[in-house]
Amino acid sequence: KGVRLYQSADLWDAEAALLDVPVEAVLAVAPDPNHPAMFQGARVAVGYPGHLWAHGIDYAARESYLDRMFKGDKDWLALAKEIGITHIYWGENEKRKYGTFNPPWQYQLKNVSRSQKIHVYDLQSYQNMKQ
């Protein structure tokens, strides 16, 4: 008996989503304690607030930028760059936290994921998509 952290299918989807993402990438993910992308070893822009708080890390500004970026703030690109994001991960955790609306970056960035359930948007594609 214990607490279930992941289901195998969730981990397989996360692995497929990140296959074409560089190892040095920094992902925007929902700051959940057991995010499947972190299980895969991905670097994230903002970790779980409870963990950060316990270590005395001031994360409030970064978390605010992340929240605004996910919600499609008009300055979403500048906010993402300010906290070093290279890719936006859009999976079940993100939909649960930020809603299932269609933020503008979904149409302005290239999805590089191989998963049917999870999309990973590459910020470097922004200029190419605008042309």
Side-chain angles (χ1 to χ4, degrees):
K1 300 206 181 222
V3 176
R4 180 176 64 190
L5 299 177
Y6 305 101
Q7 289 186 305
S8 297
D10 295 335
L11 297 178
W12 296 333
D13 281 330
E15 181 180 26
L18 298 172
L19 278 174
D20 296 326
V21 175
V23 183
E24 66 276 1
V26 177
L27 303 179
V29 302
D32 296 335
N34 300 311
H35 197 287
M38 290 191 293
F39 181 85
Q40 300 297 332
R43 295 171 57 194
V44 298
V46 180
Y48 175 58
H51 180 82
L52 299 172
W53 174 84
H55 289 279
I57 298 171
D58 183 9
Y59 61 91
R62 292 177 71 82
E63 185 178 40
S64 173
Y65 285 11
L66 181 74
D67 188 60
R68 290 173 49 205
M69 189 264 339
F70 265 120
K71 291 179 178 176
D73 185 285
K74 64 180 173 74
D75 293 329
W76 67 265
L77 184 60
L79 295 165
K81 287 181 176 182
E82 180 68 26
I83 56 177
I85 293 168
T86 62
H87 293 76
I88 301 172
Y89 187 102
W90 190 248
E92 292 305 313
N93 297 41
E94 290 70 29
K95 291 173 187 170
R96 197 169 32 256
K97 180 163 178 69
Y98 301 107
T100 56
F101 73 103
N102 297 316
W105 43 262
Q106 282 188 324
Y107 304 103
Q108 296 172 324
L109 301 174
K110 180 181 179 188
N111 176 14
V112 296
S113 171
R114 293 190 195 184
S115 169
Q116 296 297 316
K117 289 182 170 182
I118 301 166
H119 295 165
V120 178
Y121 298 96
D122 183 351
L123 266 68
Q124 288 183 337
S125 69
Y126 182 72
Q127 290 302 325
N128 296 338
M129 298 295 276
K130 281 184 69 174
Q131 296 173 359

